Amino acid sequence: MKDKQEYMDDLKEIRSIMERSTRFISLSGLSGVFVGIIALAGGGFAWWYLKDTGFLTGETLFRASGELLSKIKLFLITDGIIMLILALISAVFFSFFTARRKGLKLWDHTTRRVLINLGIPLLSGGIFLIVLIMNNLLYLLAPVSLLFYGLALINAGNYMLSEIRYLGFSEVLLGIMAAIFMEYGLFLWITGFGVLHIVYGIIMYRKYDLAK
Amino acid sequence: MKNPIKSLNKIFDSRVRLGIMSALMVNDETDFNSLKQLLEVTDGNLASHIKALEKELYIIVDKQFVGRKPRTSYMISNAGRKAFEKHLDGLEGLMKE
């Protein structure tokens, strides 16, 4: 017979294994904060770059053409790719250290499951964004990227820390608003990818990273 | 529950078996290496505990070939789920006493 304390430890062990074997818990709140800062910087840079083109006020948002249009397209693609690369690096970087601190392997079946569930909607959204750029539908970039990103987070949220789903719902909401109020697209994009990431990052950092 | 100790299952006295069952309760199917990583045990140790659970018909072993490589995955059986839930009830009952 084991004593009561040992049975209590058994229960703790069961809970911990169930948690570790289903959820990807190596995501650090700091990734969120850094991704948010990157989006603020990239989005702010776009704001600064585009403010004289009339692209933000709606004057040329729907009607940009010729040299101006190619200039804006090239800028948005470059800005977007740089932000994407920096965001991926910071997510991997902080997850690596969080996994090590928690004594977990960074690459296991929970990581694979999260990447697949994030990856399918994100890749579809990414391809959709490329098609939009090819067809000069630049005013749809903000709502579409917010919507697909939000849906990806909701989809993968079951296998991640619970706050991720709420972040997903918030992004979808902003995406819908960006589709309705298209002149505010960039502003809402910066809110969704910048401000929300930082807010959720801080909440999750305080709740999970500082706790243990 | 009158006597929670009676609900406890001797098979689950081992931490490794407890771990295997916990992981299989919440996953559709899990392969050998994932279990090994999760529970931090040696190949031989894990294999012997898996064999014990398989003998009780608590888990289902599924051997498939991916190309030429064998790939073994494990699932919990209905009997296993019932037995483990009963064991959990027993543990919780004990805690309440």
Side-chain angles (χ1 to χ4, degrees):
Chain A
M1 268 307 289
K2 298 184 183 179
D3 64 28
K4 199 167 169 175
Q5 181 58 43
E6 281 179 284
Y7 285 122
M8 196 119 72
D9 291 343
D10 276 4
L11 273 175
K12 263 189 210 146
E13 176 83 0
I14 291 167
R15 191 168 299 151
S16 145
I17 284 173
M18 285 182 170
E19 171 97 3
R20 269 187 294 153
S21 71
T22 44
R23 280 172 194 271
F24 177 70
I25 52 173
S26 299
L27 194 67
S28 165
L30 287 179
S31 311
V33 174
F34 269 79
V35 168
I37 292 171
I38 292 163
L40 275 186
F45 186 46
W47 191 292
W48 171 80
Y49 186 86
L50 296 172
K51 70 180 190 308
D52 296 330
T53 62
F55 188 70
L56 298 171
T57 51
E59 280 169 52
T60 51
L61 178 59
F62 305 104
R63 288 188 300 277
S65 61
E67 206 177 312
L68 176 67
L69 181 66
S70 354
K71 210 177 97 177
I72 293 176
K73 271 162 79 170
L74 183 67
F75 171 80
L76 288 179
I77 292 169
T78 317
D79 196 28
I81 289 175
I82 292 172
M83 283 191 282
L84 184 64
I85 291 171
L86 290 177
L88 286 175
I89 290 173
S90 70
V92 174
F93 180 82
F94 287 110
S95 298
F96 175 78
F97 285 105
T98 311
R100 208 166 64 169
R101 193 165 45 80
K102 292 187 177 173
L104 304 169
K105 303 261 173 8
L106 182 56
W107 185 253
D108 63 11
H109 70 287
T110 64
T111 321
R112 273 198 299 278
R113 186 154 53 186
V114 159
L115 287 182
I116 290 167
N117 281 283
L118 275 179
I120 293 169
L122 283 185
L123 208 64
S124 326
I127 293 168
F128 192 27
L129 291 176
I130 293 170
V131 174
L132 289 177
I133 293 176
M134 281 162 56
N135 289 296
N136 301 330
L137 299 167
L138 303 186
Y139 53 92
L140 287 176
L141 293 180
V144 167
S145 55
L146 282 166
L147 280 171
F148 273 88
Y149 183 61
L151 291 173
L153 292 183
I154 293 170
N155 194 42
N158 282 333
Y159 310 115
M160 302 172 86
L161 296 169
S162 52
E163 282 76 11
I164 298 290
R165 271 172 78 83
Y166 296 112
L167 178 60
F169 289 126
S170 318
E171 302 284 2
V172 167
L173 205 69
L174 283 175
I176 293 169
M177 280 168 64
I180 298 171
F181 308 106
M182 281 191 177
E183 313 88 81
Y184 298 100
L186 183 59
F187 172 76
L188 290 166
W189 191 95
I190 292 172
T191 310
F193 284 90
V195 179
L196 277 189
H197 273 136
I198 294 174
V199 170
Y200 273 84
I202 291 172
I203 291 172
M204 291 178 68
Y205 181 74
R206 292 174 62 123
K207 184 166 168 189
Y208 300 106
D209 296 61
L210 289 183
K212 281 155 197 171
Chain B
M1 209 177 308
K2 274 181 193 152
N3 189 356
I5 292 177
K6 277 192 179 155
S7 305
L8 295 179
N9 191 331
K10 271 221 172 73
I11 306 286
F12 302 136
D13 262 356
S14 140
R15 270 294 155 78
V16 181
R17 287 178 210 165
L18 207 64
I20 297 169
M21 294 301 281
S22 309
L24 295 184
M25 282 289 278
V26 288
N27 286 288
D28 297 340
E29 54 168 28
T30 309
D31 61 29
F32 190 87
N33 283 331
S34 301
L35 283 175
K36 200 178 114 183
Q37 271 186 18
L38 188 69
L39 304 173
E40 293 168 336
V41 286
T42 60
D43 282 19
N45 194 355
L46 180 59
S48 75
H49 286 298
I50 284 176
K51 198 151 269 170
L53 290 171
E54 195 188 347
K55 213 178 118 202
E56 298 291 326
L57 303 178
Y58 285 170
I59 60 174
I60 299 162
V61 181
D62 181 28
K63 282 200 174 100
Q64 280 183 339
F65 279 85
V66 180
R68 284 201 171 168
K69 271 190 181 167
R71 205 194 145 217
T72 313
S73 55
Y74 305 94
M75 276 180 295
I76 198 162
S77 70
N78 286 334
R81 190 178 291 278
K82 271 187 202 146
F84 194 65
E85 272 165 2
K86 196 174 163 206
H87 185 74
L88 282 180
D89 287 344
L91 285 179
E92 275 170 5
L94 264 185
M95 293 303 115
K96 277 180 201 147
E97 275 184 357

Short mmCIF file of all heavy atoms in Angstrom, two decimals, chain A residues 88-129:
data_model
loop_
_atom_site.label_atom_id
_atom_site.label_comp_id
_atom_site.label_asym_id
_atom_site.label_seq_id
_atom_site.Cartn_x
_atom_site.Cartn_y
_atom_site.Cartn_z
N LEU A 88 8.76 35.32 -36.71
CA LEU A 88 9.02 33.89 -36.59
C LEU A 88 10.26 33.64 -35.74
O LEU A 88 10.27 32.77 -34.87
CB LEU A 88 9.21 33.25 -37.98
CG LEU A 88 7.93 33.08 -38.80
CD1 LEU A 88 8.26 32.57 -40.20
CD2 LEU A 88 6.96 32.13 -38.10
N ILE A 89 11.31 34.45 -35.99
CA ILE A 89 12.54 34.28 -35.21
C ILE A 89 12.26 34.48 -33.73
O ILE A 89 12.67 33.69 -32.89
CB ILE A 89 13.64 35.26 -35.70
CG1 ILE A 89 14.12 34.85 -37.09
CG2 ILE A 89 14.82 35.28 -34.72
CD1 ILE A 89 15.08 35.84 -37.73
N SER A 90 11.52 35.54 -33.38
CA SER A 90 11.31 35.80 -31.96
C SER A 90 10.41 34.73 -31.33
O SER A 90 10.63 34.33 -30.18
CB SER A 90 10.77 37.20 -31.71
OG SER A 90 9.45 37.30 -32.16
N ALA A 91 9.43 34.21 -32.08
CA ALA A 91 8.58 33.14 -31.53
C ALA A 91 9.40 31.90 -31.23
O ALA A 91 9.30 31.30 -30.16
CB ALA A 91 7.44 32.82 -32.49
N VAL A 92 10.25 31.50 -32.18
CA VAL A 92 11.07 30.30 -31.99
C VAL A 92 12.07 30.52 -30.85
O VAL A 92 12.25 29.67 -29.98
CB VAL A 92 11.82 29.92 -33.29
CG1 VAL A 92 12.78 28.76 -33.03
CG2 VAL A 92 10.82 29.54 -34.38
N PHE A 93 12.69 31.70 -30.84
CA PHE A 93 13.72 32.03 -29.85
C PHE A 93 13.17 31.90 -28.43
O PHE A 93 13.73 31.19 -27.58
CB PHE A 93 14.20 33.46 -30.13
CG PHE A 93 15.27 33.95 -29.19
CD1 PHE A 93 16.60 33.60 -29.39
CD2 PHE A 93 14.93 34.76 -28.13
CE1 PHE A 93 17.58 34.05 -28.53
CE2 PHE A 93 15.91 35.22 -27.25
CZ PHE A 93 17.24 34.86 -27.46
N PHE A 94 12.04 32.58 -28.16
CA PHE A 94 11.51 32.56 -26.79
C PHE A 94 10.92 31.20 -26.43
O PHE A 94 11.00 30.77 -25.27
CB PHE A 94 10.47 33.67 -26.59
CG PHE A 94 11.09 35.03 -26.53
CD1 PHE A 94 10.91 35.93 -27.56
CD2 PHE A 94 11.87 35.39 -25.45
CE1 PHE A 94 11.49 37.19 -27.51
CE2 PHE A 94 12.46 36.64 -25.39
CZ PHE A 94 12.27 37.55 -26.43
N SER A 95 10.33 30.51 -27.42
CA SER A 95 9.79 29.18 -27.14
C SER A 95 10.91 28.23 -26.75
O SER A 95 10.75 27.37 -25.88
CB SER A 95 9.06 28.63 -28.35
OG SER A 95 7.97 29.44 -28.67
N PHE A 96 12.05 28.38 -27.40
CA PHE A 96 13.21 27.53 -27.11
C PHE A 96 13.59 27.66 -25.64
O PHE A 96 13.78 26.66 -24.94
CB PHE A 96 14.37 27.93 -28.02
CG PHE A 96 15.64 27.20 -27.72
CD1 PHE A 96 15.83 25.89 -28.15
CD2 PHE A 96 16.65 27.80 -26.99
CE1 PHE A 96 16.99 25.20 -27.87
CE2 PHE A 96 17.83 27.11 -26.70
CZ PHE A 96 18.00 25.81 -27.13
N PHE A 97 13.68 28.90 -25.15
CA PHE A 97 14.09 29.09 -23.77
C PHE A 97 13.01 28.67 -22.78
O PHE A 97 13.29 28.14 -21.71
CB PHE A 97 14.52 30.54 -23.52
CG PHE A 97 15.86 30.83 -24.12
CD1 PHE A 97 15.97 31.57 -25.28
CD2 PHE A 97 17.00 30.31 -23.52
CE1 PHE A 97 17.22 31.81 -25.84
CE2 PHE A 97 18.24 30.53 -24.08
CZ PHE A 97 18.36 31.29 -25.23
N THR A 98 11.73 28.93 -23.15
CA THR A 98 10.64 28.52 -22.26
C THR A 98 10.61 27.00 -22.14
O THR A 98 10.43 26.46 -21.05
CB THR A 98 9.29 29.02 -22.80
OG1 THR A 98 9.43 30.40 -23.12
CG2 THR A 98 8.20 28.86 -21.78
N ALA A 99 10.78 26.32 -23.27
CA ALA A 99 10.78 24.85 -23.25
C ALA A 99 11.90 24.35 -22.35
O ALA A 99 11.72 23.45 -21.55
CB ALA A 99 10.93 24.29 -24.66
N ARG A 100 13.07 24.97 -22.46
CA ARG A 100 14.21 24.51 -21.68
C ARG A 100 13.98 24.74 -20.19
O ARG A 100 14.27 23.90 -19.35
CB ARG A 100 15.49 25.22 -22.14
CG ARG A 100 16.70 24.35 -21.88
CD ARG A 100 17.90 24.82 -22.60
NE ARG A 100 18.32 26.14 -22.15
CZ ARG A 100 19.49 26.67 -22.48
NH1 ARG A 100 20.31 26.03 -23.27
NH2 ARG A 100 19.82 27.87 -22.06
N ARG A 101 13.39 25.91 -19.88
CA ARG A 101 13.14 26.22 -18.48
C ARG A 101 12.12 25.26 -17.87
O ARG A 101 12.21 24.87 -16.72
CB ARG A 101 12.63 27.67 -18.38
CG ARG A 101 12.62 28.23 -16.98
CD ARG A 101 12.48 29.74 -17.01
NE ARG A 101 11.46 30.19 -17.95
CZ ARG A 101 10.17 30.18 -17.69
NH1 ARG A 101 9.73 29.74 -16.54
NH2 ARG A 101 9.31 30.61 -18.58
N LYS A 102 11.13 24.87 -18.68
CA LYS A 102 10.11 23.96 -18.16
C LYS A 102 10.54 22.50 -18.28
O LYS A 102 9.78 21.60 -17.92
CB LYS A 102 8.80 24.16 -18.93
CG LYS A 102 8.14 25.51 -18.65
CD LYS A 102 6.78 25.60 -19.30
CE LYS A 102 6.10 26.90 -18.96
NZ LYS A 102 4.86 27.11 -19.70
N GLY A 103 11.73 22.27 -18.83
CA GLY A 103 12.21 20.91 -18.98
C GLY A 103 11.47 20.12 -20.04
O GLY A 103 11.29 18.92 -19.93
N LEU A 104 10.99 20.82 -21.08
CA LEU A 104 10.26 20.15 -22.16
C LEU A 104 11.11 20.12 -23.42
O LEU A 104 12.02 20.91 -23.57
CB LEU A 104 8.96 20.89 -22.47
CG LEU A 104 7.97 21.11 -21.34
CD1 LEU A 104 6.90 22.09 -21.77
CD2 LEU A 104 7.35 19.78 -20.94
N LYS A 105 10.77 19.19 -24.31
CA LYS A 105 11.41 19.21 -25.62
C LYS A 105 10.64 20.21 -26.49
O LYS A 105 9.41 20.20 -26.48
CB LYS A 105 11.34 17.83 -26.26
CG LYS A 105 11.98 16.74 -25.41
CD LYS A 105 13.36 16.46 -25.93
CE LYS A 105 14.20 15.51 -25.10
NZ LYS A 105 13.63 14.80 -24.00
N LEU A 106 11.39 21.06 -27.21
CA LEU A 106 10.69 22.04 -28.05
C LEU A 106 9.95 21.34 -29.19
O LEU A 106 8.83 21.69 -29.54
CB LEU A 106 11.66 23.08 -28.61
CG LEU A 106 11.03 24.18 -29.46
CD1 LEU A 106 9.95 24.91 -28.70
CD2 LEU A 106 12.07 25.16 -29.95
N TRP A 107 10.60 20.29 -29.75
CA TRP A 107 9.98 19.61 -30.88
C TRP A 107 9.37 18.31 -30.41
O TRP A 107 10.06 17.32 -30.21
CB TRP A 107 11.03 19.37 -31.98
CG TRP A 107 10.40 18.78 -33.20
CD1 TRP A 107 10.52 17.49 -33.64
CD2 TRP A 107 9.55 19.43 -34.14
NE1 TRP A 107 9.78 17.29 -34.76
CE2 TRP A 107 9.17 18.48 -35.10
CE3 TRP A 107 9.04 20.74 -34.25
CZ2 TRP A 107 8.33 18.79 -36.18
CZ3 TRP A 107 8.20 21.04 -35.31
CH2 TRP A 107 7.86 20.07 -36.25
N ASP A 108 8.07 18.29 -30.19
CA ASP A 108 7.40 17.03 -29.86
C ASP A 108 6.04 17.02 -30.54
O ASP A 108 5.78 17.86 -31.40
CB ASP A 108 7.28 16.85 -28.34
CG ASP A 108 6.43 17.95 -27.70
OD1 ASP A 108 5.77 18.70 -28.43
OD2 ASP A 108 6.42 18.05 -26.46
N HIS A 109 5.18 16.06 -30.18
CA HIS A 109 3.93 15.97 -30.94
C HIS A 109 2.99 17.14 -30.67
O HIS A 109 2.17 17.46 -31.52
CB HIS A 109 3.24 14.63 -30.67
CG HIS A 109 2.68 14.50 -29.31
ND1 HIS A 109 3.47 14.33 -28.20
CD2 HIS A 109 1.40 14.56 -28.85
CE1 HIS A 109 2.71 14.27 -27.12
NE2 HIS A 109 1.45 14.41 -27.48
N THR A 110 3.14 17.82 -29.51
CA THR A 110 2.28 19.00 -29.30
C THR A 110 2.71 20.14 -30.21
O THR A 110 1.88 20.88 -30.73
CB THR A 110 2.32 19.49 -27.83
OG1 THR A 110 3.64 19.93 -27.52
CG2 THR A 110 1.93 18.40 -26.87
N THR A 111 4.02 20.27 -30.44
CA THR A 111 4.52 21.30 -31.36
C THR A 111 4.03 21.03 -32.77
O THR A 111 3.55 21.93 -33.46
CB THR A 111 6.06 21.31 -31.38
OG1 THR A 111 6.55 21.09 -30.07
CG2 THR A 111 6.59 22.63 -31.91
N ARG A 112 4.17 19.76 -33.18
CA ARG A 112 3.73 19.40 -34.53
C ARG A 112 2.25 19.69 -34.72
O ARG A 112 1.84 20.28 -35.73
CB ARG A 112 3.96 17.89 -34.77
CG ARG A 112 5.34 17.56 -35.28
CD ARG A 112 5.37 16.17 -35.89
NE ARG A 112 5.03 15.13 -34.93
CZ ARG A 112 5.89 14.61 -34.06
NH1 ARG A 112 7.14 15.02 -34.06
NH2 ARG A 112 5.51 13.67 -33.21
N ARG A 113 1.44 19.33 -33.71
CA ARG A 113 0.00 19.51 -33.84
C ARG A 113 -0.36 21.00 -33.94
O ARG A 113 -1.20 21.39 -34.74
CB ARG A 113 -0.70 18.86 -32.64
CG ARG A 113 -2.18 18.87 -32.74
CD ARG A 113 -2.79 17.75 -31.96
NE ARG A 113 -2.31 17.75 -30.58
CZ ARG A 113 -2.60 16.80 -29.70
NH1 ARG A 113 -3.32 15.78 -30.06
NH2 ARG A 113 -2.15 16.88 -28.48
N VAL A 114 0.31 21.82 -33.11
CA VAL A 114 0.04 23.25 -33.15
C VAL A 114 0.44 23.83 -34.51
O VAL A 114 -0.29 24.60 -35.12
CB VAL A 114 0.76 23.98 -32.00
CG1 VAL A 114 0.93 25.45 -32.31
CG2 VAL A 114 -0.02 23.81 -30.71
N LEU A 115 1.62 23.41 -35.01
CA LEU A 115 2.09 23.95 -36.28
C LEU A 115 1.17 23.57 -37.44
O LEU A 115 0.90 24.38 -38.31
CB LEU A 115 3.53 23.49 -36.56
CG LEU A 115 4.60 24.16 -35.69
CD1 LEU A 115 5.98 23.67 -36.07
CD2 LEU A 115 4.52 25.68 -35.81
N ILE A 116 0.67 22.34 -37.41
CA ILE A 116 -0.25 21.92 -38.48
C ILE A 116 -1.55 22.72 -38.39
O ILE A 116 -2.05 23.23 -39.39
CB ILE A 116 -0.54 20.41 -38.38
CG1 ILE A 116 0.71 19.62 -38.75
CG2 ILE A 116 -1.71 20.01 -39.29
CD1 ILE A 116 0.64 18.15 -38.41
N ASN A 117 -2.07 22.86 -37.17
CA ASN A 117 -3.35 23.55 -37.02
C ASN A 117 -3.27 25.05 -37.24
O ASN A 117 -4.23 25.68 -37.64
CB ASN A 117 -3.95 23.26 -35.64
CG ASN A 117 -4.60 21.90 -35.59
OD1 ASN A 117 -5.70 21.71 -36.09
ND2 ASN A 117 -3.90 20.92 -35.04
N LEU A 118 -2.09 25.62 -36.97
CA LEU A 118 -1.88 27.03 -37.31
C LEU A 118 -1.57 27.15 -38.79
O LEU A 118 -2.03 28.07 -39.47
CB LEU A 118 -0.66 27.58 -36.54
CG LEU A 118 -0.80 28.12 -35.14
CD1 LEU A 118 0.56 28.57 -34.65
CD2 LEU A 118 -1.79 29.27 -35.09
N GLY A 119 -0.78 26.19 -39.27
CA GLY A 119 -0.20 26.30 -40.61
C GLY A 119 -1.22 26.26 -41.73
O GLY A 119 -1.12 27.03 -42.68
N ILE A 120 -2.23 25.40 -41.60
CA ILE A 120 -3.19 25.25 -42.71
C ILE A 120 -3.95 26.55 -42.97
O ILE A 120 -3.93 27.07 -44.08
CB ILE A 120 -4.12 24.05 -42.48
CG1 ILE A 120 -3.29 22.76 -42.55
CG2 ILE A 120 -5.25 24.02 -43.49
CD1 ILE A 120 -4.02 21.52 -42.07
N PRO A 121 -4.60 27.14 -41.94
CA PRO A 121 -5.27 28.43 -42.22
C PRO A 121 -4.29 29.55 -42.57
O PRO A 121 -4.61 30.39 -43.43
CB PRO A 121 -6.01 28.76 -40.92
CG PRO A 121 -5.69 27.70 -39.95
CD PRO A 121 -4.88 26.65 -40.58
N LEU A 122 -3.11 29.56 -41.96
CA LEU A 122 -2.16 30.64 -42.24
C LEU A 122 -1.64 30.57 -43.67
O LEU A 122 -1.52 31.58 -44.36
CB LEU A 122 -0.97 30.60 -41.27
CG LEU A 122 -1.24 31.15 -39.87
CD1 LEU A 122 0.04 31.16 -39.06
CD2 LEU A 122 -1.84 32.55 -39.93
N LEU A 123 -1.35 29.35 -44.12
CA LEU A 123 -0.84 29.18 -45.48
C LEU A 123 -1.93 29.55 -46.50
O LEU A 123 -1.65 30.24 -47.48
CB LEU A 123 -0.40 27.73 -45.67
CG LEU A 123 0.71 27.50 -46.68
CD1 LEU A 123 1.99 28.18 -46.22
CD2 LEU A 123 0.94 26.02 -46.89
N SER A 124 -3.17 29.12 -46.22
CA SER A 124 -4.27 29.49 -47.13
C SER A 124 -4.40 31.00 -47.17
O SER A 124 -4.55 31.59 -48.24
CB SER A 124 -5.60 28.90 -46.66
OG SER A 124 -5.42 27.66 -46.07
N GLY A 125 -4.36 31.62 -45.98
CA GLY A 125 -4.46 33.08 -45.91
C GLY A 125 -3.31 33.75 -46.64
O GLY A 125 -3.51 34.72 -47.37
N GLY A 126 -2.10 33.21 -46.48
CA GLY A 126 -0.92 33.77 -47.14
C GLY A 126 -1.06 33.74 -48.64
O GLY A 126 -0.77 34.72 -49.34
N ILE A 127 -1.52 32.60 -49.16
CA ILE A 127 -1.71 32.48 -50.61
C ILE A 127 -2.77 33.47 -51.08
O ILE A 127 -2.62 34.14 -52.11
CB ILE A 127 -2.10 31.03 -50.98
CG1 ILE A 127 -0.92 30.10 -50.70
CG2 ILE A 127 -2.51 30.93 -52.45
CD1 ILE A 127 -1.26 28.62 -50.74
N PHE A 128 -3.84 33.58 -50.29
CA PHE A 128 -4.91 34.51 -50.61
C PHE A 128 -4.37 35.94 -50.66
O PHE A 128 -4.68 36.72 -51.58
CB PHE A 128 -6.01 34.38 -49.55
CG PHE A 128 -7.30 35.07 -49.91
CD1 PHE A 128 -7.67 35.28 -51.23
CD2 PHE A 128 -8.17 35.49 -48.91
CE1 PHE A 128 -8.87 35.91 -51.56
CE2 PHE A 128 -9.36 36.13 -49.21
CZ PHE A 128 -9.71 36.34 -50.54
N LEU A 129 -3.49 36.31 -49.70
CA LEU A 129 -2.91 37.66 -49.69
C LEU A 129 -2.09 37.91 -50.95
O LEU A 129 -2.14 38.99 -51.53
CB LEU A 129 -2.03 37.84 -48.44
CG LEU A 129 -2.76 37.90 -47.08
CD1 LEU A 129 -1.75 38.00 -45.95
CD2 LEU A 129 -3.73 39.07 -47.03
#
